[in-house]
Amino acid sequence: MSPVPSPSSVSSVLKRHLIFVSGKGGVGKTSVSQAIAHSLSIQGQRTLWVAFDDPLRPPGELRKLSPTLHYLNCEATIAFEEYSAMKIGAATLTRIFLQNKLVRYLAKATPGMHELFVLGKVWFERLNYDHVVVDMPSTGYGLAMFQSTKNFTRLFRGGPIHKDAEAMLETFANPTQTGFLIIAIPEEMPLQESLELNGFMLELFPKNPAAFLVNRRFPHSTESATPENSPESWENPIPTSAEDYVHKRVILEEYNLRLWRNAKIPIEEVAFILPTPQNQMIEGIASELKTRGHV
Amino acid sequence: MKTSSIDAILQKRRIIITCGTGGVGKTTLSAALALRAACLGKNAAVITIDPAKRLATSLGLGELGDQPLDLTPQLRRAHLKLKKQGLDISTECKGTLAALMPDTRRTFEAFIHSLNPSPAVTDQILRNPIFQIFAREFSGSNEYMALERLYALNLQKRFDCIILDTPPSRNTLAFLDAPKLLTRFFEERLIRWLVLPTNKIVSMGMKKALGVLEKLTGSGFMTHLFDFASALFEVQVAFSSNLKKITELLESEEVGFLVVSAPISGAAPEISHFIESIENHGFHFDGVALNRTLGYLRKGRTDKRKKPNQLAFQILDALQDREAEVTRQLQGVVPAYFTTLPELARDVHSIEDLIHVATAFDSINR
């Protein structure tokens, strides 16, 4: 067995052309990816921030957030139509193709198709920007996007889809072009899931290790964890007072982070940003990223 | 009609399905709910999808827990111990508790087997490369298999209370849409096209469209697809009747839905969306559990005392303010049962911990 490659640093990943931000649901992928896109764009880099199927925005919407920052709500059906039009060329034939009931059905129902086309859309869009920052779906679904692409290259031969899928994989595997950032919060499940995700990603892209970032780190204090007051020793999991909660939370975070320490993952972090209105929070995270030298 | 307590819901329904987004503690809450039912005298089971390692261990679910595992002896021991320590709980725990974690990949294969008696067709499906993507990655197959499992377990009549912990879904009830997604692939009219692509009645338009598709996907893909579709066509009747039975169960009075959320901004519209979805499907919405709340820690605050780590208390204050706001919004939109459950100081390690959580239903913030 080959040794597990050391993780990339957050700052090196955030310099890359294509940045995929992934992790368990609820760890703040959307806010952090937006803050990264914001940070890159205010440095004057033309940046695209991509979300997949955001139900609060119109599907396929491309919106200008600032002179250097765009937002794309990537949606599979639209991506499929654009791709088909590009590959078929002739407008009449494209129309016949896209209006065909069977084709529409297959584009929707064939397993892996959705994933392949939305990822393809991101891959094509990279040509128009200095940076593309992608807010990936949570762990399993996000991983399935890359796996589907790989499966298509493995299972089917010839044809433009196969060729493009191979070129996509080459870009994703290349650490000079693509970076993977795995976000967690200092809780057991997200930290654990980030390690599992990293394992799967390394199987797909062994030469392009991800960087890890702990989001929402609670303020540390002088009364930190000691081996004697480990969470294992607390009788009731429900805290009894605000003081008890704060005290235990500090200890618990330290305790949970052992999962990463044991896996030799450097603890790069973003502090807990007060739950303020969304735009202030994004700026808060962006300023954290800057202060800590991540971007 | 407003239901006043979690126990009234547990008495009313045989099955409770918990749903919500990721990271809200749905799995722990579901296990605690089953435990509470057991303490009410029910034969309770929790079907869980992806528990944290410690929770899995405390439920006796190691690597695999595909069959219901009886936890009653552990529960009774833990109950007795906490009772002796003076915890305010029922004198006795009369029911039973079991947990299981379906192995979705194995279930999917078992499911195909169950649909079709012909070994040739089963083999044709299982060997097909498209099935391999389908079984592993199709978003919806996990959810659908959980429903299959629920249906089968319910038929056995071994349990009179089943809690189904569903996979997290972000904005839509992907889990409720799963049957629909699968139906798409099994939709008879369209599968017919796939199975009979060279049929004489195929129009010029269809021929052209299929020609383009073949060019785009290259050789191999279409062949596998036709092969997969024709094999699925063989099991289509069995699948549709299964789906119908599951849908009937979900729509019946036996099943209630509990939405689980956390007190974050945007929770109220998200919950409204879930409720709407449940009702649009014709299912029974029973209430909302707001988990991981901190508001109850405001009681007996010692504001004057000088504390170290001031910043941490500032964050706690801000979180409590946000929670109060979310709770206020929710009380306006939730027409049914509403409860809050505490944020834990650490993860659940044992059945005893689960008893603590189960006891917190309807008791904090009172």
Side-chain angles (χ1 to χ4, degrees):
Chain A
M1 239 184 84
S2 55
V4 178
S6 341
S8 299
S9 70
V10 173
S11 62
S12 87
V13 159
L14 299 190
K15 287 191 182 72
R16 300 183 199 170
H17 192 175
L18 195 50
I19 303 161
F20 289 102
V21 180
S22 46
K24 186 174 162 46
V27 300
K29 289 184 294 294
T30 303
S31 301
V32 173
S33 63
Q34 190 182 356
I36 292 169
H38 173 79
S39 305
L40 294 169
S41 75
I42 55 173
Q43 293 174 357
Q45 315 251 19
R46 280 172 305 130
T47 307
L48 179 68
W49 174 44
V50 183
F52 293 125
D53 293 316
D54 181 348
L56 302 176
R57 306 295 323 171
E61 180 192 39
L62 180 66
R63 198 158 48 110
K64 192 174 187 172
L65 302 178
S66 84
T68 48
L69 181 60
H70 281 77
Y71 162 86
L72 170 70
N73 186 19
C74 197
E75 198 268 335
T77 310
I78 293 169
F80 170 71
E81 288 176 5
E82 283 178 11
Y83 182 82
S84 307
M86 183 172 68
K87 291 294 161 180
I88 299 169
T92 321
L93 191 54
T94 304
R95 209 173 50 242
I96 292 176
F97 179 72
L98 290 177
Q99 284 175 356
N100 184 278
K101 272 191 188 144
L102 181 59
V103 168
R104 288 161 71 102
Y105 159 68
L106 285 178
K108 274 209 173 106
T110 306
M113 277 285 190
H114 260 240
E115 290 82 355
L116 183 66
F117 284 111
V118 290
L119 216 46
K121 171 72 179 168
V122 169
W123 182 69
F124 277 105
E125 282 297 333
R126 85 194 191 288
L127 301 172
N128 302 321
Y129 298 89
D130 297 323
H131 291 282
V132 177
V133 183
V134 187
D135 177 14
M136 293 295 280
S138 54
T139 313
Y141 293 128
L143 187 63
M145 289 192 164
F146 294 111
Q147 283 172 337
S148 295
T149 310
K150 189 130 196 169
N151 280 331
F152 269 83
T153 62
R154 219 185 48 217
L155 297 173
F156 312 114
R157 297 270 155 232
I161 295 185
H162 174 261
K163 210 173 115 233
D164 287 335
E166 281 205 320
M168 277 159 67
L169 288 175
E170 231 169 80
T171 306
F172 301 154
N174 184 343
T176 64
Q177 295 186 40
T178 303
F180 302 104
L181 179 64
I182 301 181
I183 314 263
I185 46 176
E187 293 178 14
E188 190 184 0
M189 276 291 265
L191 291 166
Q192 183 61 42
E193 210 168 291
S194 68
L195 296 177
E196 288 162 13
L197 176 62
N198 186 47
F200 287 123
M201 291 300 290
L202 281 173
E203 272 174 36
L204 289 167
F205 308 114
K207 299 224 166 83
N208 194 357
F212 291 77
L213 186 65
V214 193
N215 187 24
R216 268 189 242 144
R217 191 82 157 89
F218 212 62
H220 312 238
S221 76
T222 45
E223 40 155 12
S224 272
T226 60
E228 297 86 67
N229 61 10
S230 119
E232 308 274 358
S233 65
W234 305 335
E235 278 208 353
N236 192 328
I238 301 173
T240 52
S241 66
E243 287 76 11
D244 185 42
Y245 174 73
V246 168
H247 167 74
K248 284 180 171 166
R249 172 142 182 176
V250 170
I251 295 171
L252 182 72
E253 288 193 359
E254 283 298 318
Y255 175 81
N256 287 338
L257 284 169
R258 80 197 183 284
L259 287 169
W260 278 18
R261 293 208 177 88
N262 293 344
K264 302 217 166 18
I265 287 166
I267 314 286
E268 297 195 76
E269 46 184 70
V270 166
F272 204 114
I273 303 295
L274 282 176
T276 46
Q278 187 66 9
N279 54 345
Q280 280 176 36
M281 201 171 93
I282 298 304
E283 295 202 351
I285 299 173
S287 121
E288 263 288 302
L289 289 169
K290 196 175 176 197
T291 314
R292 292 172 186 262
H294 297 318
V295 63
Chain B
M1 189 192 67
K2 202 150 172 144
T3 313
S4 57
S5 72
I6 195 68
D7 293 343
I9 296 173
L10 288 169
Q11 295 294 2
K12 188 166 70 178
R13 309 284 189 205
R14 283 175 59 85
I15 296 169
I16 293 171
I17 298 180
T18 55
C19 46
T21 57
V24 297
K26 201 155 41 69
T27 303
T28 304
L29 191 143
S30 303
L33 202 53
L35 186 145
R36 188 165 176 120
C39 287
L40 287 175
K42 300 266 180 193
N43 294 318
V46 56
I47 306 179
T48 180
I49 309 292
D50 186 22
K53 213 167 157 228
R54 286 175 176 287
L55 179 65
T57 313
S58 52
L59 292 174
L61 303 169
E63 281 296 296
L64 274 181
D66 200 49
Q67 292 303 314
L69 187 90
D70 185 28
L71 297 166
T72 312
Q74 292 93 313
L75 170 61
R76 296 213 169 131
R77 264 201 307 277
H79 187 270
L80 196 67
K81 186 176 160 196
L82 290 179
K83 185 79 206 162
K84 275 186 188 155
Q85 286 176 10
L87 191 71
D88 183 20
I89 43 177
S90 58
T91 31
E92 229 186 322
C93 195
K94 283 190 181 146
T96 64
L97 177 66
L100 76 152
M101 180 168 58
D103 172 355
T104 39
R105 180 162 174 77
R106 207 173 70 186
T107 320
F108 202 95
E109 293 189 7
F111 165 63
I112 294 289
H113 281 287
S114 78
L115 288 180
N116 197 280
S118 145
V121 169
T122 310
D123 194 53
Q124 191 186 350
I125 295 176
L126 298 186
R127 279 162 168 272
N128 188 290
I130 293 180
F131 169 79
Q132 285 159 22
I133 305 181
F134 193 64
R136 192 173 37 185
E137 288 157 25
F138 175 61
S139 48
S141 62
N142 271 9
E143 287 87 343
Y144 184 71
M145 287 309 110
L147 291 177
E148 276 282 333
R149 203 53 201 268
L150 172 72
Y151 181 76
L153 199 66
N154 185 50
L155 270 191
Q156 292 176 7
K157 301 286 172 209
R158 179 175 153 195
F159 301 102
D160 55 9
C161 173
I162 303 175
I163 311 295
L164 175 69
D165 166 31
T166 62
S169 52
R170 193 176 66 164
N171 290 293
T172 51
L173 292 177
F175 147 78
L176 295 180
D177 291 333
K180 237 189 300 171
L181 278 168
L182 271 160
T183 327
R184 268 198 209 139
F185 215 95
F186 283 90
E187 200 183 324
E188 191 180 345
R189 195 165 47 91
L190 286 165
I191 282 202
R192 232 182 254 288
W193 280 116
L194 271 185
V195 180
L196 309 166
T198 51
N199 192 309
K200 287 184 199 75
I201 58 159
V202 170
S203 67
M204 272 309 284
M206 181 64 85
K207 272 192 188 137
K208 268 193 188 158
L210 287 179
V212 173
L213 191 61
E214 178 126 47
K215 269 202 197 110
L216 285 179
T217 55
S219 58
F221 179 76
M222 295 291 278
T223 319
H224 286 306
L225 189 64
F226 289 138
D227 187 57
F228 184 54
S230 60
L232 282 190
F233 192 61
E234 299 283 321
V235 296
Q236 197 256 340
V237 174
F239 173 78
S240 299
S241 91
N242 259 26
L243 183 65
K244 192 158 168 275
K245 279 186 273 180
I246 291 177
T247 311
E248 277 168 9
L249 174 67
L250 293 182
E251 286 170 354
S252 76
E253 291 283 335
E254 291 187 30
V255 182
F257 285 76
L258 188 68
V259 177
V260 185
S261 185
I264 54 169
S265 35
E270 196 174 271
I271 290 170
S272 301
H273 176 76
F274 266 91
I275 297 173
E276 204 177 295
S277 247
I278 290 168
E279 289 178 340
N280 285 344
H281 278 82
F283 303 148
H284 301 281
F285 163 69
D286 275 346
V288 171
L290 197 62
N291 199 12
R292 310 193 64 167
T293 63
L294 293 159
Y296 73 103
L297 295 175
R298 281 202 156 141
K299 272 188 240 161
R301 274 263 299 274
T302 49
D303 283 326
K304 301 264 159 57
R305 214 179 66 200
K306 179 140 177 61
K307 301 179 196 93
N309 208 356
Q310 281 297 331
L311 188 54
F313 284 92
Q314 260 176 34
I315 291 179
L316 185 60
D317 268 341
L319 290 174
Q320 287 169 331
D321 287 346
R322 185 176 65 174
E323 178 181 317
E325 174 60 19
V326 170
T327 310
R328 199 187 53 74
Q329 291 169 0
L330 279 176
Q331 276 160 346
V333 298
V334 177
Y337 169 72
F338 175 73
T339 191
T340 57
L341 284 149
E343 162 88 320
L344 303 179
R346 62 161 162 80
D347 305 286
V348 163
H349 287 185
S350 63
I351 299 273
E352 280 165 45
D353 286 355
L354 271 182
I355 296 179
H356 285 296
V357 179
T359 312
F361 270 98
D362 299 333
S363 74
I364 62 163
N365 278 350
R366 285 266 158 113

